[in-house]
Amino acid sequence: MQPLFEAYSFIFGLLIGSFLNVVILRLPVGKNLVSDRSCCPKCQAKLRWYHNIPVVSFLMLRGKCAFCQSPISWRYPLIELLTGLVSLWLFPAELSSLSLGFYLFYFAIACVFICHFFIDLDHHLLLDKLNIYLLVLILPFAVLNFYWMHWLLGGLFGFGVPLLITWLFYKIKGQVGLGGGDIKLFGLLGLLLGPTGVFFTIFLSCMVGAIVGMTLILTKKLNKDRPMAFGPAIILVASFQIFLPQFAHIVESWFF
Ligand SMILES: [Zn+2]
């Protein structure tokens, strides 16, 4: 039965990924997520149900709109496939109500991460709405964890340290370094990862951000008027810590 359940979890992930595409497109511009049927962004033709099958429709249509033939972004099938694979990766090897609960908890966090990642890339925004979803997910989990010093200190540290750095940066250079969304996200991650975990998130995401920023400057792909989005670096590092803890612990041990 296990392979069958795993196949279901992959298909479930693909379908949720299709919904995440809608969220990424519509949430930042305030459009309704469920009422309107999807349409082609070029010719505005309403899509039929068979144009909306995750990954399959993109391949069948050879990446082009069925009505106006304008190219469809490869990002849609990529996000669907990514969500499907994340669901499969997180699916428990042994089924119980507890393991399924953990699966749903971590999968929901992964879904918010995927939305944060791409919305921040497109709009330079880590939306409060998504941060509130994260808070609603993480806070009960953290409180049930009983080891309250862990999450309380983590939250204070995750929120306080980036806030302090931003304040100092502003005092010295007169520029705002980190956005409010970045600071809130660090605070939320602190609730989940604890003080040492979130210290690592802050440290490593700054390193990843610096490496990516430098690469973009060297390849002349960074627009000087529009600073680089920092959210994707935070999301990448936090995903590494949360979803691949066995590897993250190895990297953490290099530094501590
Ligand atoms: Zn079209």
Side-chain angles (χ1 to χ4, degrees):
M1 284 302 271
Q2 184 68 15
L4 188 68
F5 287 135
E6 283 176 358
Y8 282 149
S9 84
F10 180 62
I11 294 167
F12 172 67
L14 289 178
L15 292 169
I16 296 290
S18 183
F19 175 67
L20 297 186
N21 275 321
V22 177
V23 175
I24 292 164
L25 213 59
R26 295 186 186 177
L27 196 66
V29 291
K31 273 198 197 165
N32 193 302
L33 295 184
V34 280
S35 69
D36 304 329
R37 234 168 64 200
S38 304
C39 62
C40 166
K42 274 271 160 63
C43 69
Q44 308 297 326
K46 298 260 186 230
L47 303 186
R48 310 261 155 78
W49 67 268
Y50 49 84
H51 297 141
N52 267 328
I53 306 167
V55 185
V56 178
S57 292
F58 183 85
L59 295 175
M60 299 265 279
L61 293 166
R62 293 167 197 266
K64 286 180 190 140
C65 168
F67 303 99
C68 69
Q69 304 295 312
S70 61
I72 306 169
S73 168
W74 53 266
R75 227 172 70 173
Y76 296 109
L78 179 88
I79 289 173
E80 287 158 357
L81 201 61
L82 174 69
T83 317
L85 289 173
V86 169
S87 173
L88 186 62
W89 171 256
L90 294 173
F91 196 73
E94 276 176 48
L95 286 181
S96 67
S97 47
L98 188 70
S99 70
L100 273 176
F102 272 105
Y103 157 70
L104 287 174
F105 171 73
Y106 284 109
F107 182 60
I109 288 181
C111 289
V112 181
F113 276 11
I114 291 170
C115 294
H116 255 339
F117 185 96
F118 287 100
I119 290 175
D120 200 32
L121 269 188
D122 290 347
H123 300 272
H124 286 214
L125 274 177
L126 290 172
L127 295 175
D128 276 340
K129 265 187 191 165
L130 291 175
N131 277 337
I132 290 168
Y133 282 128
L134 275 183
L135 181 68
V136 170
L137 279 167
I138 293 173
L139 197 60
F141 178 84
V143 173
L144 283 173
N145 193 356
F146 291 115
Y147 187 42
W148 63 270
M149 282 293 277
H150 179 80
W151 62 265
L152 199 63
L153 275 178
L156 282 173
F157 195 84
F159 192 73
V161 170
L163 191 67
L164 189 71
I165 294 173
T166 307
W167 182 76
L168 284 173
F169 196 74
Y170 183 73
K171 281 279 161 200
I172 295 164
K173 292 198 82 177
Q175 283 174 312
V176 179
L178 282 175
D182 298 319
I183 298 172
K184 287 176 218 166
L185 182 59
F186 276 131
L188 288 163
L189 292 170
L191 292 178
L192 191 66
L193 296 166
T196 46
V198 79
F199 175 77
F200 189 66
T201 323
I202 297 167
F203 174 69
L204 205 64
S205 57
C206 287
M207 273 177 60
V208 170
I211 292 168
V212 174
M214 236 119 75
T215 314
L216 289 176
I217 288 170
L218 287 175
T219 54
K220 299 199 166 74
K221 279 186 180 146
L222 193 69
N223 185 346
K224 282 210 178 98
D225 304 325
R226 201 167 182 248
M228 191 185 73
F230 186 50
I234 307 174
I235 295 292
L236 276 183
V237 173
S239 301
F240 178 59
Q241 289 175 283
I242 296 168
F243 305 120
L244 298 165
Q246 61 275 46
F247 299 109
H249 286 316
I250 298 170
V251 178
E252 280 177 49
S253 68
W254 296 344
F255 294 97
F256 299 116

